[in-house]
Amino acid sequence: MSIAPIAPPVAPEVSAAATVRQITGAERTAHKPELAGAFGAALADAHAAERTATAAAEQFAKGDPGMGIHEVMIASEKANISVRYATTLKNKALEAYRELMNTQV
Amino acid sequence: MSTMDFFTAMEVSASGLSAERTRMNVAASNLANAQTTQATGGGPYRRRDVVMQSVAVPGVQNTPYAQAVKGVAVSQISQDTAPPRLEYDPGHPQADARGYVAYPNINPVEEMVDMITASRAYEAGITSMTTAVNMAERALGIGR
């Protein structure tokens, strides 16, 4: 009678990632602050969403038959969420920066 | 938009809202024209009906579940082929040689039911949209 091992099989990529790797100097200089990059992308998205919302509101005001009330509301809600996402990322980045700056030496 | 997958749910709900709005417009048109004896193209007004079709959602074409998640769109507005209701009214300008006037084949009760269905479906769409927005807001609140 064979008994299956209880420990779950470890996926190869997980075990590979778990091994400690030396970070080269080139890698260190090429490393970009990722939160800032994500914030930039989120800001661009928020900007695009806001422009879409403005365009939708304009079209609605002009009486475009294809633009209904709910389309305008949805576009502005999307813009709202996008802006809040960007703001949240900004707050997180600032928080992390302040945390580091407050390090006691 | 790749950052927010909740937008997919919003897009799907939005397509449903647009479809229900069209259905409401069609029901209103049917009710308003319940006594129209002269429509464009001759004859009485004919009852309209929306035909809905599932469509791809903008923004999810490249995701693995693009085949599973579908929005809805009105593919066409069909005309009811049921024969018109004939009423005897010889004095009517649209009366035929025997004195009968052809009135639209519209049952106001049916249209009211269609309108209520559209209204409830619209509410359901708003609810799913609000839920998606709430989920996104909850996600933004993680760690706060």
Side-chain angles (χ1 to χ4, degrees):
Chain A
M1 182 175 130
S2 66
I3 296 168
I6 290 172
V10 178
E13 63 267 25
V14 171
S15 58
T19 57
V20 179
R21 204 163 52 86
Q22 285 295 318
I23 298 171
T24 63
E27 250 177 16
R28 192 166 289 166
T29 48
H31 180 75
K32 293 260 166 46
E34 280 179 18
L35 205 50
F39 171 59
L43 204 60
D45 274 358
H47 181 60
E50 222 181 315
R51 283 179 60 161
T52 312
T54 312
E58 254 173 38
Q59 269 180 296
F60 180 70
K62 281 180 193 162
D64 187 333
M67 189 56 66
I69 304 170
H70 67 256
E71 274 108 344
V72 179
M73 295 306 292
I74 289 163
S76 60
E77 192 56 45
K78 276 184 180 174
N80 178 23
I81 293 176
S82 299
V83 169
R84 283 180 54 186
Y85 176 62
T87 319
T88 308
L89 278 186
K90 185 266 294 172
N91 289 344
K92 295 265 180 223
L94 266 183
E95 209 178 292
Y97 171 76
R98 288 210 186 101
E99 195 78 26
L100 280 176
M101 283 302 128
N102 288 337
T103 310
Q104 296 292 323
V105 284
Chain B
M1 195 69 65
S2 60
T3 51
M4 296 270 188
D5 202 36
F6 290 116
F7 283 170
T8 304
M10 292 177 73
E11 290 282 358
V12 171
S13 306
S15 70
L17 294 184
S18 298
E20 293 307 329
R21 181 191 53 194
T22 308
R23 201 209 308 219
M24 174 67 220
N25 289 347
V26 167
S29 163
N30 287 342
L31 269 180
N33 285 292
Q35 304 295 326
T36 304
T37 52
Q38 196 174 28
T40 45
Y45 175 89
R46 286 195 174 275
R47 185 175 173 273
R48 261 77 161 174
D49 223 341
V50 289
V51 180
M52 297 202 185
Q53 181 188 27
S54 71
V55 292
V57 191
V60 294
Q61 277 89 348
N62 299 323
T63 57
Y65 50 84
Q67 285 303 309
V69 178
K70 293 282 185 198
V72 66
V74 173
S75 64
Q76 62 161 317
I77 294 172
S78 65
Q79 286 200 19
D80 200 329
T81 52
R85 179 166 51 90
L86 293 176
E87 252 177 47
Y88 186 68
D89 186 3
H92 197 285
Q94 259 88 46
D96 64 6
R98 294 178 302 134
Y100 281 96
V101 182
Y103 278 98
N105 49 351
I106 288 170
N107 180 358
V109 178
E110 221 175 280
E111 299 311 319
M112 290 304 291
V113 169
D114 225 24
M115 252 163 50
I116 292 168
T117 315
S119 164
R120 293 288 176 264
Y122 198 89
E123 273 172 33
I126 297 270
T127 303
S128 72
M129 165 91 54
T130 311
T131 308
V133 170
N134 284 345
M135 282 167 78
E137 280 177 356
R138 297 293 293 166
L140 281 176
I142 288 175
R144 231 190 297 138

